[in-house]
Amino acid sequence: MPPKKRPLLHALTVLSLLAGSAYLTVELRKDEQDKAPRAQAVTDTPLNGSAAGRPGAQTWERLKNPDRTVLRGEGGQVLATFTDRSRTATLKGPSRTFGESANTATRVVTEDWVRLMPEAWRAGAEQERWFGDWFRQYHGSQEDDLFAIAFQYVTGAPVKKDDKGIAYAGDAKFGPVNPDLAKHRGTPLLEQSDFFDYLGIPYSFRDGTATRPEAARYRAVDCSGYMRLVFGYRARYPLAPGDGKGNGLPRTANGMGRSHLGADIIPLSGPAPWYQRPQNIDLLQPGDLVFFKMDHHTGDRLDHVGLYLGPDTEGHKVFISSRKEVNGPTIGDTGGVSRLDGNGFYAQLLRNAKRL
């Protein structure tokens, strides 16, 4: 009587089913990876195949133009970037989708998390204690970064209050309505709303300068006030009371763009007052400040600033800023799409970029 083969057949059947299941799982993951996450303000759903969090050996590498250090994973993928003289660090993490459906169909899907380090980067800082402590806290963290903070002020953003009842986040406007269009160059909304105006609180700077908010400017920030709100009040980058006064982020776009702070990624070039549009913007990294020359009434001053987010789902380089046309922080299309590439309004008027 021949030996029974049924157990062997059962084993082969189980192995075949497992192999088929594994194949289908891989194919489904490939299919999911090709699809962008659905549009919403912010999601923390990881993209399949994310470089972040993979186990394996990690290496540090020095690169130039600009001088920087990158952390690479076992497969050579960049996990983090740290630029000399800059406190801004870009870390890979779970994928998020940023959008602003009230003003644009543009969406930014990104694995970049942009954070401020306690000190400016320098070669070899990865071996220093301060960095080790900071990196252990924020590598892989999903605590709000600069991008998450920035989108807490776009159209429809909900109000958030601290334990003192101060509304520190929520839909922001650009500035109060101009009561006399014959003045202030006929602009419909007035500039000069800073972060403390939005908050509605008095503020004392580190040099002792004290300021008081204007009631008409409550919940409003102009372009540079918005950057000071995000980088300074929320992320704790030092703030100066004005341009050329005190040590910290200056008050205006012109002061920021010409300051000694951080690393100049795209230097200002060409003759004043309009300067020259950069020929190459590939050096930009998510989290950079981008500066524009837009108004002939402001002489040789830079007069607009925004925060570079990276490519949108169509591959265009997108920034967020507070603007008159949309009345507040936006990546919207009104008055010109928020793109740095191509020949649109803002793309043609881009002049320089800085990594704080």
Side-chain angles (χ1 to χ4, degrees), residues 196-217:
F196 54 84
D197 291 307
Y198 173 89
L199 298 166
I201 60 173
Y203 189 85
S204 294
F205 292 89
R206 293 184 302 164
D207 68 350
T209 300
T211 58
R212 298 192 64 83
E214 293 184 31
R217 298 180 182 277

Side-chain angles (χ1 to χ4, degrees), residues 90-117:
T90 302
L91 312 176
K92 293 296 181 181
S95 175
R96 301 168 293 170
T97 300
F98 294 98
E100 189 194 351
S101 58
N103 295 305
T104 181
T106 295
R107 292 182 304 142
V108 175
V109 180
T110 181
E111 293 181 345
D112 291 315
W113 292 65
V114 182
R115 302 190 181 279
L116 286 181
M117 298 181 289

Side-chain angles (χ1 to χ4, degrees), residues 5 17 22 31 51 57 72 85 105 123 144 150-151 179 191 210 226 278-279 314:
K5 298 182 180 180
L17 289 172
D31 182 59
R72 295 189 183 275
R85 298 185 59 201
D144 284 352
F151 274 83
E191 297 180 353
Y226 177 44
Q279 296 183 350
E314 296 181 1

Side-chain angles (χ1 to χ4, degrees), residues 119-338:
E119 297 184 25
W121 186 261
R122 50 191 171 269
E126 67 273 15
Q127 300 176 11
E128 299 178 17
R129 181 173 179 177
W130 71 265
F131 174 74
D133 293 342
W134 178 87
F135 192 66
R136 279 189 293 273
Q137 180 178 355
Y138 289 107
H139 180 50
S141 169
Q142 295 186 32
E143 180 181 326
D144 284 352
D145 70 332
L146 291 174
F147 285 3
I149 293 171
F151 274 83
Q152 291 172 9
Y153 301 94
V154 299
T155 300
V159 172
K160 296 184 178 185
K161 295 184 179 181
D162 63 18
D163 55 5
K164 296 181 180 178
I166 298 173
Y168 65 87
D171 189 341
K173 57 186 178 181
F174 179 86
V177 173
N178 182 0
D180 186 353
L181 291 179
K183 298 179 180 179
H184 306 288
R185 305 193 305 274
T187 180
L189 299 174
L190 297 178
E191 297 180 353
Q192 300 180 0
S193 294
D194 204 354
F195 70 95
F196 54 84
D197 291 307
Y198 173 89
L199 298 166
I201 60 173
Y203 189 85
S204 294
F205 292 89
R206 293 184 302 164
D207 68 350
T209 300
T211 58
R212 298 192 64 83
E214 293 184 31
R217 298 180 182 277
Y218 181 58
R219 313 297 288 170
V221 278
D222 62 16
C223 65
S224 52
Y226 177 44
M227 293 299 99
R228 282 158 64 87
L229 180 60
V230 172
F231 277 85
Y233 187 79
R234 295 293 305 279
R236 314 315 297 171
Y237 195 95
L239 292 169
D243 290 358
K245 181 180 181 181
N247 182 24
L249 192 62
R251 170 62 186 96
T252 69
N254 185 69
M256 293 178 188
R258 297 179 186 273
S259 76
H260 67 280
L261 301 173
D264 289 321
I265 303 303
I266 299 177
L268 185 64
S269 63
W274 286 99
Y275 308 105
Q276 178 179 311
R277 178 183 179 181
Q279 296 183 350
N280 185 358
I281 59 174
D282 291 341
L283 293 178
L284 287 173
Q285 177 176 285
D288 289 348
L289 292 183
V290 287
F291 300 91
F292 305 83
K293 175 59 183 174
M294 300 168 49
D295 192 340
H296 68 276
H297 290 102
T298 58
D300 62 359
R301 295 173 59 84
L302 300 166
D303 43 44
H304 191 63
V305 59
L307 174 64
Y308 177 56
L309 301 172
D312 65 10
T313 53
E314 296 181 1
H316 295 291
K317 297 180 186 297
V318 177
F319 70 97
I320 186 170
S321 66
S322 186
R323 293 160 49 184
K324 298 185 185 76
E325 296 83 359
V326 187
N327 195 14
T330 186
I331 56 171
D333 305 326
T334 304
V337 294
S338 299

